[in-house]
Amino acid sequence: MSAPAKPAFTPEVIAAHGFKGDEYQRLLDILGREPSMTELGIFSVMWSEHCSYKSSRFWLKTLPTKGPQVIQGPGENAGVVDLGDGWAVVFKMESHNHPSYIEPFQGAATGVGGIMRDVFTMGARPVANMNALRFGDPDHPKTRHLVSGVVSGIGHYGNCTGVPTIGGETNFDAGYNGNILVNAMCVGLARTDKIFYSAAKGVGLPVVYVGSTTGRDGIHGATMASAEFDDKSEEKRPTVQVGDPFTEKLLIEACLELMATDCIIAIQDMGAAGLTSSTSEMADKGGVGIELELDHVPQRETGMTAYEMMLSESQERMLMILKPGSEPQAQAIFKKWGLDFAVIGTTTDTGRMIIKHKGVVEADLPVDKLADSAPLYQRPYIETVPPKPILPQWVAGTDSITGALRTMMGHPSLCSRRWIWEQYDHMVMGDTVGRPGGDAGVVRVHGTKKGIAVTCDVTPRYVFADPDMGTRQAVVETWRNLTCVGADPLAITDNMNFGNPERPEIRGQFVGSVKGMSAACMALAYPVVSGNVSLYNETKGVGIPPTPAIGAVGLVPDTDYISDIRLKKAGNLLMLIGAEQGWLGQSLYQQIIVGKLEGAPPPVNLGEEKAAGDLVRGLIRERKVEAVHDCSDGGLLVAVAEMALSGKIGSELHAYEGLLPAHAIWFGEDQGRYVLEVDPNAADDILARAKAAGLAARLIGKVGGAAVSIKGEPALALGELREAHEGWLPGYMGKTLG
């Protein structure tokens, strides 16, 4: 074997590989020599923001990640939480933002495929998908095209693999015109005694490649995802991977079948940075070296170089470390499922990654340096100064209360997302018991009464105004969503979407957001067990609104005792739990009706959040409530309207007679509040229990009629409200695609 000649790299080549500042000199110091081209590419992707978290690790380590329910926190392919009775839930959320902007269908589709592999790599069968999507202004010329492609891509991949998509969120804002967000979440089920990890422990073990063949798609995808956009972004289309959901389905079944044996020592998804990240991370975690013979890698294109094979992000591929002698058994399983299987290397005691191709050593690198030597930046930051609170009486529109409601319910920020989720199969597998359109999706633990509730949420306008408080709100919003279906909130995953961290004000947004997340999770015993950071979400120096999307799971002890938002029975009473301040700062009422957005976002009282959640959850399990919905975007009246539309029955609300302006009470976005439908005979008891818990509570009206009506206001017929609420998105997407 002979080492390749070391090229002299120009500054242009070094910059094209994403090295900044003194990073290339740092690489030279580590190696003690010039790298080969393959070695340059390997370090390029491993030191990318996407793979190394070099701008975020310092702060991420401050998050609470442990708890009695946590089996595996951050550091593996996905987080794992105990459900009891030998069951565990495995879940994670991850971004595919840049690829989805460049090629929306494939970008979104492969985002779904990638997050599913993170989950079944751990030994879990995927049982539910969810997504959080952010698009630009509806009037922007690219928005409709991007919505169409992303939704189609998500539906195509999820539907073809037979995994239900049970919910999500979609929003429009001009801040995403040049950089949309596509965050995909997957939830899987595993037995607690069959969790699989990625540490390649042992020497002389076979390194096995399984799944689809390797091509040139996705090369430098991780590097592309770690850079902001410019006028040449369209040229990055070749860095977007191409997915095949039918192969993914075969891969799921083959991997789970092999996992039922005793063959696997370690397993890792070939995600971002492909073979490079999977081999180096597995070797580093196991404290071993690894030697690869790239001649044995299954290839679908001719003449591929070592550089291309190591950096390819071709989809539907996994890397395994098997017990010696088990290769024939494993190969038979993958052959049965029509998938490639190849032994491409072995673990060693050298502590080095050695890459050979056509008789030449293309790379010879220290594993520990490759996995852990990326720069760790504690960049300077400027804290966001939150705006001052504004008084409710300073924010007033000219519409009637019900007139404002109609306008708001038909606005892109609040209109029905049915057009989107009806393109997703949400009932496949037969265990979905909480469908899209409510506060959280719910899937049954197959063959049991237990259920897993899943939700995701964030309000970027709050986070932009006050990153700390806005992120606290995102966490507690998921807490409330899980509570509304009767689930015990267990843990969260996060997807931290921000602009360029090299700018102090963006760094300040990120730091404030992490602090807010940490405070909320600690107060609620609601740990962060997995996540993803997506930075450099900017175009021409303009960053997106800070968007720390929070995905969450909860346990429903008995799916016979779940709730939903549908109003049920005329004559039942409507009750509001939670304090009212009429908070209109950063509210949708202010944005849509008044035409501006200012002031501080609503504050979050973590103690009251916990008390209210515990009360509501108990009432659901005692069957004391008929329907539950939390108050969030748009406030109290929007929550009631959504319940009425879902249940196809109206509501008759009392006039507000307090000191605050009526529009502030009906549309203020005060936190920690729930609307309950209760039997009249149970109302006094529930009011007393709320008082005993230190919570405000009042009756606001009753169920009945065919309109949403407020005494003293024009009634808004459900038919008219439904037309406004359901009509905007299909009408928008029905136009000629741009």
Side-chain angles (χ1 to χ4, degrees):
M1 295 284 178
S2 60
K6 305 299 189 292
F9 295 114
T10 65
E12 290 76 17
V13 170
I14 293 169
H17 280 75
F19 292 97
K20 298 180 180 180
D22 65 352
E23 290 180 350
Y24 185 67
Q25 183 58 51
R26 180 187 183 96
L27 172 56
L28 296 180
D29 293 341
I30 288 171
L31 296 181
R33 58 175 171 80
E34 289 275 349
S36 69
M37 189 64 182
T38 299
E39 290 172 335
L40 183 74
I42 285 173
F43 268 95
S44 166
V45 293
M46 290 304 292
W47 284 10
S48 69
E49 194 72 56
H50 191 78
C51 291
S52 73
Y53 288 45
K54 57 190 175 186
S55 295
S56 58
R57 276 184 293 157
F58 175 82
W59 288 102
L60 294 178
K61 289 179 180 178
T62 66
L63 292 170
T65 60
K66 300 183 184 300
Q69 71 273 43
V70 178
I71 295 174
Q72 175 64 53
E76 273 291 344
N77 289 289
V80 186
V81 174
D82 197 350
L83 294 175
D85 300 320
W87 287 104
V89 59
V90 181
F91 65 103
K92 188 182 181 184
M93 179 186 282
E94 197 157 84
S95 62
H96 233 219
N97 303 333
H98 285 49
S100 298
Y101 183 79
I102 295 169
E103 175 49 64
F105 182 92
Q106 289 296 347
T110 52
V112 173
I115 197 62
M116 288 173 60
R117 288 193 299 280
D118 281 339
V119 165
F120 73 78
T121 296
M122 302 292 294
R125 176 174 291 280
V127 295
N129 288 332
M130 191 163 277
N131 52 75
L133 312 177
R134 294 292 188 286
F135 298 103
D137 189 318
D139 291 332
H140 189 274
K142 290 196 72 168
T143 298
R144 201 177 301 114
H145 164 71
L146 292 168
V147 173
S148 177
V150 166
V151 171
S152 297
I154 290 171
H156 172 70
Y157 209 101
N159 295 352
C160 290
T161 53
V163 178
T165 300
I166 62 171
E169 57 167 353
T170 301
N171 287 105
F172 299 87
D173 187 278
Y176 304 100
N177 280 351
N179 200 128
I180 65 172
L181 301 184
V182 175
N183 295 171
M185 181 177 175
C186 183
V187 177
L189 270 172
R191 299 298 296 178
T192 53
D193 60 351
K194 294 295 281 186
I195 306 295
F196 288 80
Y197 300 95
S198 58
K201 295 180 179 179
V203 173
L205 306 175
V207 179
V208 175
Y209 171 120
V210 300
S212 191
T213 51
T214 293
R216 291 187 172 93
D217 51 321
I219 293 174
H220 270 298
T223 308
M224 179 269 290
S226 305
E228 60 186 79
F229 283 151
D230 54 28
D231 289 328
K232 297 182 179 180
S233 295
E234 291 296 323
E235 297 175 9
K236 298 178 180 179
R237 193 177 303 273
T239 62
V240 178
Q241 310 94 324
V242 177
D244 180 355
F246 299 104
T247 298
E248 179 106 341
K249 173 61 174 173
L250 299 176
L251 189 59
I252 292 171
E253 300 305 330
C255 286
L256 292 177
E257 183 174 338
L258 184 60
M259 286 168 170
T261 71
D262 194 32
C263 296
I264 299 175
I265 291 175
I267 183 170
Q268 175 85 5
D269 163 40
M270 284 192 235
L275 262 175
T276 289
S277 62
S278 54
T279 51
S280 59
E281 290 170 6
M282 292 176 84
D284 181 61
K285 289 176 182 178
V288 298
I290 197 161
E291 188 168 310
L292 298 183
E293 287 279 3
L294 297 186
D295 296 356
H296 300 157
V297 171
Q299 300 161 53
R300 65 170 173 265
E301 298 186 49
T302 59
M304 290 191 72
T305 64
Y307 179 100
E308 291 171 328
M309 280 187 273
M310 291 304 296
L311 271 61
S312 168
E313 293 184 8
S314 294
Q315 296 291 285
E316 295 88 39
R317 302 179 302 159
M318 310 284 279
L319 201 67
M320 298 181 176
I321 309 297
L322 299 182
K323 291 184 177 179
S326 65
E327 298 95 322
Q329 181 182 2
Q331 184 172 15
I333 290 173
F334 281 87
K335 183 178 180 180
K336 181 184 76 172
W337 289 100
L339 297 168
D340 279 288
F341 178 100
V343 178
I344 65 168
T346 186
T347 59
T348 69
D349 60 2
T350 65
R352 302 189 71 81
M353 174 194 278
I354 298 175
I355 310 297
K356 300 176 182 177
H357 184 224
K358 295 184 177 179
V360 174
V361 175
E362 295 282 0
D364 185 349
L365 301 169
V367 166
D368 58 342
K369 298 299 183 184
L370 184 56
D372 298 317
S373 66
L376 177 59
Y377 292 124
Q378 297 184 44
R379 303 184 192 275
Y381 63 91
I382 298 173
E383 291 188 4
T384 302
V385 178
K388 293 181 180 179
I390 56 176
L391 297 176
Q393 54 266 36
W394 295 353
V395 183
T398 58
D399 304 54
S400 68
I401 299 296
T402 48
L405 174 65
R406 187 192 185 286
T407 299
M408 291 174 67
M409 292 291 282
H411 189 272
S413 294
L414 280 173
C415 72
S416 170
R417 272 48 177 163
R418 182 185 300 275
W419 180 89
I420 294 175
W421 57 256
E422 282 191 340
Q423 297 184 54
Y424 307 149
D425 189 336
H426 51 273
M427 296 303 293
V428 65
M429 300 180 79
D431 281 318
T432 303
V433 290
R435 304 185 185 190
D439 285 307
V442 184
V443 290
R444 186 185 296 107
V445 177
H446 190 72
T448 76
K449 288 271 191 163
K450 288 187 175 185
I452 303 168
V454 190
T455 188
C456 58
D457 223 297
V458 64
T459 308
R461 64 184 186 277
Y462 292 174
V463 184
F464 181 76
D466 185 341
D468 183 314
M469 192 61 70
T471 307
R472 292 181 190 224
Q473 190 277 336
V475 173
V476 300
E477 174 70 9
T478 65
W479 169 274
R480 289 196 296 268
N481 289 342
L482 296 174
T483 290
C484 284
V485 298
D488 292 312
L490 290 176
I492 72 167
T493 182
D494 62 68
N495 208 140
M496 306 288 279
N497 305 276
F498 290 80
N500 185 342
E502 298 168 43
R503 293 201 281 137
E505 65 275 18
I506 300 298
R507 181 75 167 171
Q509 292 175 347
F510 180 83
V511 171
S513 182
V514 171
K515 288 180 177 179
M517 187 187 308
S518 182
C521 289
M522 290 183 69
L524 299 173
Y526 196 35
V528 185
V529 298
S530 61
N532 173 247
V533 176
S534 176
L535 303 177
Y536 296 95
N537 289 288
E538 332 203 323
T539 298
K540 299 181 183 179
V542 179
I544 61 162
T547 311
I550 306 296
V553 299
L555 172 65
V556 178
D558 187 339
T559 51
D560 287 341
Y561 293 80
I562 63 172
S563 187
D564 58 40
I565 74 171
R566 295 178 297 116
L567 294 183
K568 307 290 192 306
K569 182 180 177 183
N572 279 345
L573 301 182
L574 293 173
M575 181 183 296
L576 177 66
I577 301 289
E580 296 172 279
Q581 298 174 290
W583 200 278
L584 288 170
Q586 301 297 323
S587 68
L588 286 183
Y589 178 85
Q590 186 190 48
Q591 179 179 342
I592 298 169
I593 302 301
V594 183
K596 60 182 178 180
L597 201 58
E598 59 186 12
V604 172
N605 184 313
L606 294 169
E608 290 183 5
E609 289 281 358
K610 188 173 188 314
D614 292 346
L615 171 65
V616 170
R617 212 173 301 114
L619 293 172
I620 291 171
R621 291 178 188 171
E622 295 170 31
R623 297 194 174 183
K624 297 276 186 159
V625 294
E626 298 292 333
V628 182
H629 192 19
D630 75 309
C631 296
S632 54
D633 280 345
L636 171 59
L637 190 56
V638 167
V640 172
E642 289 171 342
M643 297 173 79
L645 288 174
S646 183
K648 300 179 181 179
I649 186 171
S651 57
E652 301 167 1
L653 303 173
H654 306 317
Y656 173 69
E657 297 178 349
L659 299 177
L660 292 168
H663 65 272
I665 284 297
W666 293 116
F667 299 114
E669 295 181 7
D670 310 312
Q671 299 297 295
R673 298 184 301 161
Y674 299 82
V675 178
L676 313 180
E677 178 189 358
V678 303
D679 185 284
N681 295 322
D684 288 343
D685 176 59
I686 296 173
L687 289 170
R689 288 171 65 172
K691 183 178 180 180
L695 298 167
R698 70 180 179 99
L699 295 174
I700 60 171
K702 65 180 181 179
V703 179
V708 173
S709 63
I710 305 170
K711 189 174 181 181
E713 287 278 339
L716 180 57
L718 284 186
E720 183 181 352
L721 182 60
R722 187 177 306 281
E723 182 180 1
H725 187 55
E726 299 276 359
W728 183 84
L729 190 52
Y732 174 72
M733 295 307 299
K735 298 175 184 176
T736 303
L737 294 181

